[in-house]
Amino acid sequence: MAAAPAARPTLALLASASASLGAGRRAWARLAVSSSLAGPALPRFRGRRAFAAAAGGAVMGKAGPGAVEADAGMDAVQRRLMFEDECILVDEQDNVVGHESKYNCHLMEKIETGHALHRAFSVFLFNSKYELLLQQRSATKVTFPLVWTNTCCSHPLYRESELIEENCVGVRNAAQRKLFDELGIVADELPLDEFIPLGRMLYKAPSDGKWGEHELDYLLFMVRDVKLNPNPEEVADVKYMNQDQLKELLRKADAGEDGVKLSPWFRLVVDNFLMGWWDHVEQGTLQEAADMKTIHKL
């Protein structure tokens, strides 16, 4: 692995636990970067939060009771996240223009009207043998269940710590939070300054007739050996792969063998960037590959 730079910014992390919803719910760690890196204090944002009632799991919020009835079969955890999480709406130049529930951001009817473009991130985590960690999304995922994808894919939320744009700190905070939520990787093993943003891409992809994605996706790379404790509510399987093993997975997906399917965003990264960037991973020159000025429309 390449030697670490001689000096890194000092990152002080503040951890707080969000309240659990319903009996037996997990309390998720929420992590924020200190103002020493974030710069001037930001105003405190209040998202229009939907909430889940513990009794019976009924959900109320912007989507309205009709949506709840229509999605009564949705897994309870995914339903809570869909209605409670507020994604960051952006325009095609990545300027923040508002916020909306995760539920509404992933409805194809909203996507097709052009009112659901939101900020996202995709993490590509490599071990010291330069193998890429892939995950298979759980069967209960609302969008793209059981597909194979990169290490972690999610959204920064409309909250102060994840709206910080300087040095991509907000996206890094979100990635650190979600890697713990999905794969159980603790924050100490994921220093914020070791997430290397390599680029941004804008894409649209349907999942089924109802759901889809329309994201401006930050592509974050890191080389780090970590301990995994996957959350079965989010992840069905995990596997480290070298380049040859990934190429075999791609072949199976293209041939429809063994039911292998890949997420559309992962396939876009593979087809357009990944193999070239993988060389930089092995050579310790990832910073040379970074281009955060361009937004690739794919």
Side-chain angles (χ1 to χ4, degrees), residues 281-297:
V281 170
E282 296 181 357
Q283 296 164 14
T285 56
L286 274 172
Q287 294 285 5
E288 295 179 9
D291 174 13
M292 293 304 293
K293 293 182 179 180
T294 305
I295 298 174
H296 300 274
K297 295 183 179 181

Side-chain angles (χ1 to χ4, degrees), residues 3-296:
R8 293 190 183 278
T10 300
L11 297 172
L13 301 178
L14 304 175
S16 61
S18 63
S20 58
L21 294 174
R25 290 280 187 241
R26 176 183 294 187
W28 304 106
R30 303 303 187 198
L31 302 163
V33 71
S34 70
S35 59
S36 62
L37 178 61
L42 294 178
R44 186 171 301 276
F45 291 88
R46 289 189 174 183
R48 296 169 291 166
R49 297 172 61 85
F51 63 91
V59 181
M60 300 174 64
K62 289 184 294 178
V68 178
E69 294 170 5
D71 296 299
M74 192 184 297
D75 172 81
V77 172
Q78 296 300 322
R79 185 170 63 245
R80 173 175 61 82
L81 296 175
M82 274 287 191
F83 285 91
E84 182 180 79
D85 284 358
E86 292 278 331
C87 295
I88 301 168
L89 296 180
V90 294
D91 61 21
E92 292 194 353
Q93 289 72 49
D94 200 18
N95 299 305
V96 176
V97 296
H99 54 104
E100 185 57 270
S101 70
K102 184 178 176 183
Y103 183 98
N104 283 336
C105 283
H106 292 84
L107 284 173
M108 281 307 300
E109 64 182 87
K110 298 284 187 181
I111 292 172
E112 295 300 343
T113 61
H115 299 298
L117 178 60
H118 55 281
R119 194 172 284 169
F121 65 83
S122 292
V123 175
F124 292 74
L125 179 63
F126 296 80
N127 62 18
S128 57
K129 295 188 290 185
Y130 308 121
E131 296 169 324
L132 174 61
L133 179 61
L134 302 186
Q135 71 154 275
Q136 185 183 33
R137 291 162 65 86
S138 75
T140 60
K141 284 284 193 179
V142 175
T143 58
F144 303 101
L146 292 177
V147 305
W148 283 92
T149 191
N150 50 284
T151 311
C152 181
C153 329
S154 192
H155 319 90
L157 300 181
Y158 194 80
R159 58 178 60 166
E160 186 174 352
S161 64
E162 297 183 14
L163 281 159
I164 302 168
E165 297 194 357
E166 183 181 358
N167 297 322
C168 301
V169 168
V171 174
R172 295 182 197 207
N173 274 331
Q176 193 183 62
R177 167 181 59 81
K178 200 62 181 175
L179 281 161
F180 174 73
D181 285 358
E182 293 191 357
L183 296 168
I185 308 172
V186 298
D188 288 347
E189 294 188 331
L190 299 167
L192 290 186
D193 61 329
E194 291 190 21
F195 286 104
I196 301 177
L198 289 190
R200 293 176 291 175
M201 70 176 188
L202 193 160
Y203 77 96
K204 182 190 297 184
S207 176
D208 56 24
K210 179 173 182 177
W211 305 104
E213 293 284 4
H214 191 202
E215 297 183 330
L216 203 155
D217 197 6
Y218 284 64
L219 307 176
L220 306 177
F221 277 52
M222 181 184 286
V223 181
R224 188 91 174 178
D225 290 324
V226 298
K227 295 178 182 178
L228 300 175
N229 184 23
N231 172 9
E233 294 171 344
E234 297 278 358
V235 178
D237 198 4
V238 294
K239 187 173 184 178
Y240 280 100
M241 290 190 179
N242 59 33
Q243 290 195 39
D244 289 339
Q245 290 168 328
L246 177 58
K247 289 175 183 177
E248 175 61 13
L249 187 72
L250 298 175
R251 186 196 66 77
K252 286 186 175 182
D254 289 343
E257 289 184 18
D258 302 332
V260 172
K261 295 181 180 180
L262 304 179
S263 73
W265 59 88
F266 179 50
R267 191 60 192 254
L268 285 171
V269 175
V270 170
D271 290 346
N272 290 277
F273 311 111
L274 182 59
M275 295 311 176
W277 286 349
W278 206 316
D279 293 339
H280 285 281
V281 170
E282 296 181 357
Q283 296 164 14
T285 56
L286 274 172
Q287 294 285 5
E288 295 179 9
D291 174 13
M292 293 304 293
K293 293 182 179 180
T294 305
I295 298 174
H296 300 274

